[in-house]
Amino acid sequence: GIRDVFSFEWTSRAWTRLADLRFPRWYPTLLPLGDGRLLVLGGQINPTYWADTPEVYDPATNTWTVLPQVNTSDAHTSQYLFAHLLADGTIYVIDPDSGRLRLLTLATQQWLDVGTTSMRRVSAALYGHDMLLMTGGRSGASTAPAQTAAMVIDLTQPIATWRATTPMRYGRYMHNLVVLPDGRVLVVGGSTIGDTGADGTQSVLPTELWDPATEAWTTLGPISTPR
C-alpha cells in the first residue's frame, strides 16, 4: 500500500497533493461523512500486514486523525469493505468475504454486530431513506456460479432484518450498483462465475434496472466492454 493522497478539481482538471495517510493502504474503503470529512477503512500495508486502524480526513485542516479504538483485524478482505452512511451518522459495514454485518458509531468508536449474510462477494447500494439493496455474489468456492439473489433491508425499523426480493435476471459477481436520482438502481457488469471469470471471459453484458416501488427488474441494453 501507499500513503499518497490527491484531490481532483473537475472544473480546472487539476490534481492537488494532500496530507499523506497515517498508514499505507491497498484496497481501502473511502466513505464521505455527513460533515464533509472522509473515513478510510481497511486495506493492506503489504501482502503480509494490514492497516487495521481506520482514520478520518478533515479537508478544513488537511489532517488525518486515527481511530485507535476501532479495529478491523477481523475484517481482512481482498475486496473493499462496503460502508454506507445512515441518516443518524452511524455506518453500516458489510464484509464481502465473511458476510459479517456491523454498525460503526464514530462518536464512540464502537462496533455493533448485527448478524451475517450467507451471500458472499456481493455488491450493495444505499437507496431511499436508510434502505439497502444487496445483490449477486456467490455462496461457495471461487469457482461457484454467480447468484441472481437480491436482498433488501429497511434500517429505519427498530428490528431491521434482511429479506429476499425479486432476483436479478442474470447471476453477477463483482458488478456495480448505481443509484439513480429517481431512486431506481442500475446494475452494470459482473461475471457469471467467481474469481475465474474476472478476466472478462464470463462477463455479463446486459444491464438491469431495479425499481424499489415494485421491486421488479427490467433488462436494458448491453455494455460493449466486458467488466
Side-chain angles (χ1 to χ4, degrees):
I2 59 176
R3 299 172 58 211
D4 297 352
V5 180
F6 293 87
S7 173
F8 180 72
E9 171 55 53
W10 70 271
T11 55
S12 63
R13 299 185 180 182
W15 289 94
T16 301
R17 178 72 179 262
L18 303 178
D20 288 350
L21 287 161
R22 300 287 292 275
F23 302 96
R25 297 176 189 268
W26 167 258
Y27 264 63
T29 295
L30 179 64
L31 178 69
L33 303 176
D35 58 6
R37 297 179 302 159
L38 297 102
L39 171 70
V40 176
L41 286 171
Q44 287 182 271
I45 295 175
N46 57 44
T48 303
Y49 297 100
W50 296 75
D52 289 327
T53 303
E55 48 193 306
V56 173
Y57 177 74
D58 188 342
T61 58
N62 190 31
T63 57
W64 292 92
T65 301
V66 299
L67 305 178
Q69 297 180 48
V70 182
N71 190 283
T72 57
S73 60
D74 56 354
H76 290 170
T77 171
S78 58
Q79 306 298 317
Y80 298 99
L81 291 169
F82 294 131
H84 305 276
L85 180 67
L86 305 183
D88 64 359
T90 57
I91 299 164
Y92 196 95
V93 179
I94 302 172
D95 184 334
D97 282 342
S98 69
R100 189 176 183 181
L101 309 170
R102 289 188 291 183
L103 282 171
L104 172 60
T105 302
L106 285 182
T108 58
Q109 297 189 39
Q110 290 184 324
W111 284 108
L112 175 65
D113 283 301
V114 289
T116 59
T117 173
S118 61
M119 298 168 67
R120 300 292 187 271
R121 299 295 183 89
V122 298
S123 293
L126 186 68
Y127 69 95
H129 180 71
D130 286 355
M131 307 282 288
L132 269 173
L133 170 68
M134 181 165 56
T135 61
R138 56 176 169 79
S139 60
S142 61
T143 55
Q147 296 180 312
T148 61
M151 303 282 288
V152 293
I153 188 170
D154 182 355
L155 294 167
T156 65
Q157 298 301 310
I159 302 178
T161 56
W162 288 92
R163 64 173 177 83
T165 185
T166 310
M168 298 183 293
R169 304 282 181 87
Y170 301 88
R172 297 176 189 266
Y173 172 81
M174 294 184 71
H175 51 294
N176 291 303
L177 301 185
V178 182
V179 180
L180 304 180
D182 62 5
R184 294 181 297 171
V185 182
L186 178 68
V187 182
V188 180
S191 63
T192 60
I193 197 166
D195 293 331
T196 57
D199 59 0
T201 59
Q202 301 290 335
S203 293
V204 182
L205 299 182
T207 57
E208 299 182 64
L209 189 65
W210 185 73
D211 189 336
T214 62
E215 299 193 0
W217 294 92
T218 302
T219 302
L220 303 179
I223 58 176
S224 58
T225 302
R227 166 66 176 92

